Amino acid sequence: MPDPIYLSPPHINQEARDEMQKAITSNWIAPVGPALRDFESELSKMHEGRNALAVHSCTAALHLSMRNIGIEKGDVVFIPTHTFIATADPVIYLGAEPVFIDSEWETWNMDPTLLHQACKTLLKEGKKLKAVVPVHIYGMPAKMDEILEVADEFGLHVIEDAAEALGSQYHGRPCGALADQSALSFNGNKIITTSGGGALITKEVEDHENALYLANQAQALTPWYEHSTVGYNYRLSNLLAAFGVGQLKVLEDRVEGKRQIFDRYGEFFEALSGDGLRFLMQPEPDGSRSNRWLTAVLLEGEGNIKPLDLQKALAEDGIESRPIWKPMHQQPVFSGKRHFGNEVSDHLFEKGICLPSGTSMTDEQFAYVLKRIEHHIVHNLNVR
């Protein structure tokens, strides 16, 4: 068996190694240092000059953004049901109520029509509507124009979860700069990484300063340690930021690599279609440019191929895959929470599988992945 082929492993470049070595040599390991300031400066440039605050995770960035707008017990925060749980967790931290909104087919993201319906329904019930957190799933920009219109109509704050969308664009603008606040992820499986890490991007300086204060344990500007409110130990270390500085230098190369992987899968599944087999991949509407962070495919048609069966078969070949996100409204931890649905996310979960999308895959490894997928679909799973 060849070496394992992972879903989306880190792709380490020489520039990242050099920047990290520079930080080590200078003894700027932690906390704040020159590399952290450089990393934030580069993120700012990439996001229309907005304020960038590097923190230890995207979850932390979302938490800080929600603290900025004063989310509290009794507030309603609209979350796409098709997402990772980190989008919803900070809502629970603050005692607020997540309300889950289903997907639409054009992007697989939050459906603006359902969001509007949910706002009207809950407003009639006397609920306190506070915010909406659209997510750009797998790097595909959500329908932000429509979502922002709904938010404006109902007075909602908008927090953009761009965890998976660094390098993606929406009508020529970078994802992460489409709302007053946004959150990025640099987790080990993302398009560029700082091992673990994230960033809060803010339009207003006041939001940036408040988040910085909270992320630094709410330390007052005094000669001694003084704290008037509860803060968090959320800042990213200088050492990890140094790695991020080097990674950002190859971001566009990584985007192009991810998009090529997606296109190659698309050609493969188009050729494999027929005789009852049908495969659907995430669309890309006009005006959007996805970084294609992960390639996901829906196993449709008459063959009734089950994603978990294919996942298990590929694992035996040393190939990592995983199901599409299980909807939040199906998660036991959110049992009983409100959900406005059209069953799109349920179908995505039932039929979808995420395939190896790492830009460090060699041509030989990619050919092996395609060969084993075809073998299992055509032969082992007995669909033809």
Side-chain angles (χ1 to χ4, degrees):
M1 181 185 296
D3 291 338
I5 299 172
Y6 295 107
L7 186 71
S8 184
H11 190 173
I12 302 172
N13 57 314
Q14 188 58 49
E15 294 93 334
R17 293 186 178 94
D18 293 343
E19 292 292 340
M20 179 167 274
Q21 185 58 52
K22 187 191 304 183
I24 293 171
T25 301
S26 69
N27 206 36
W28 276 107
I29 305 302
V32 177
L36 182 58
R37 290 190 287 270
D38 289 346
F39 187 50
E40 291 173 335
S41 176
E42 289 302 312
L43 290 173
S44 175
K45 292 175 186 176
M46 291 173 55
H47 293 90
E48 301 180 343
R50 295 185 176 210
N51 312 286
L53 178 68
V55 290
H56 71 51
S57 67
C58 183
T59 310
L62 289 167
H63 190 196
L64 291 169
S65 69
M66 293 181 193
R67 281 290 305 267
N68 273 343
I69 62 177
I71 288 177
E72 59 188 8
K73 185 176 181 179
D75 289 343
V76 168
V77 180
F78 297 102
I79 304 289
T81 192
H82 182 206
T83 188
F84 180 53
I85 195 170
T87 309
D89 278 343
V91 180
I92 302 299
Y93 300 165
L94 295 170
E97 282 296 313
V99 172
F100 299 113
I101 307 297
D102 222 317
S103 303
E104 37 77 15
W105 278 114
E106 289 183 281
T107 70
W108 299 2
N109 288 304
M110 177 185 281
D111 187 331
T113 301
L114 283 177
L115 174 64
H116 191 273
Q117 175 188 328
C119 288
K120 288 178 62 178
T121 300
L122 295 183
L123 200 60
K124 289 179 180 178
E125 295 177 6
K127 300 291 186 179
K128 184 181 176 185
L129 312 185
K130 188 74 171 187
V132 57
V133 189
V135 177
H136 309 303
I137 211 71
Y138 306 135
M140 178 58 63
K143 292 186 173 182
M144 289 301 294
D145 286 346
E146 292 93 326
I147 290 171
L148 289 167
E149 285 180 9
V150 176
D152 184 62
E153 179 179 347
F154 292 94
L156 300 175
H157 294 276
V158 182
I159 300 169
E160 184 188 356
D161 185 339
E164 302 171 8
L166 186 68
S168 297
Q169 295 181 359
Y170 180 74
H171 296 296
R173 299 184 62 199
C175 289
L178 305 175
D180 286 348
Q181 299 187 99
S182 67
L184 307 174
S185 175
F186 311 114
N187 191 27
N189 64 0
K190 293 303 187 291
I191 194 163
I192 69 106
T193 184
T194 57
S195 176
L200 175 64
I201 308 296
T202 56
K203 183 178 181 181
E204 303 298 332
V205 173
E206 182 181 357
D207 286 333
H208 174 76
E209 291 178 346
N210 186 60
L212 175 60
Y213 169 68
L214 292 172
N216 194 33
Q217 296 282 26
Q219 165 63 32
L221 295 176
T222 59
W224 52 86
Y225 290 103
E226 182 161 304
H227 310 269
S228 300
T229 189
V230 174
Y232 316 99
N233 184 19
Y234 276 175
R235 287 292 263 147
L236 188 69
S237 79
N238 190 73
L239 186 61
L240 297 184
F243 196 83
V245 169
Q247 284 268 283
L248 285 177
K249 294 178 181 179
V250 295
L251 175 59
E252 190 53 37
D253 291 340
R254 298 293 183 261
V255 172
E256 288 301 325
K258 292 279 190 179
R259 289 179 63 83
Q260 289 173 15
I261 288 168
F262 182 93
D263 290 344
R264 189 170 173 184
Y265 275 122
E267 293 170 0
F268 167 77
F269 283 112
E270 183 177 359
L272 196 59
S273 298
D275 294 337
L277 289 176
R278 188 163 63 94
F279 307 94
L280 296 180
M281 298 178 69
Q282 191 175 24
E284 186 176 59
D286 290 343
S288 292
R289 182 175 184 265
S290 173
N291 67 10
R292 298 297 193 188
W293 167 59
L294 281 185
T295 292
V297 62
L298 304 185
L299 309 177
E300 304 279 2
E302 300 170 4
N304 196 30
I305 317 163
K306 293 180 171 56
L308 289 180
D309 289 342
L310 181 56
Q311 180 184 1
K312 180 180 178 181
L314 290 174
E316 293 173 355
D317 295 326
I319 299 170
E320 183 183 23
S321 60
R322 77 175 183 206
I324 277 180
W325 296 123
K326 183 176 183 178
M328 291 301 100
H329 71 270
Q330 291 192 31
Q331 299 288 350
V333 69
F334 295 129
S335 177
K337 299 297 184 185
R338 295 291 289 273
H339 166 230
F340 288 79
N342 52 19
E343 300 183 349
V344 172
S345 63
D346 295 320
H347 186 88
L348 293 172
F349 177 56
E350 178 187 357
K351 295 291 187 178
I353 185 170
C354 297
L355 298 170
S357 306
T359 50
S360 60
M361 264 196 304
T362 65
D363 287 340
E364 292 76 15
Q365 287 176 317
F366 203 169
Y368 175 71
V369 170
L370 298 182
K371 179 181 178 181
R372 299 312 297 167
I373 291 173
E374 181 172 9
H375 174 79
H376 292 306
I377 288 177
V378 175
H379 301 293
N380 283 8
L381 301 182
N382 296 316
V383 298
R384 282 188 177 176

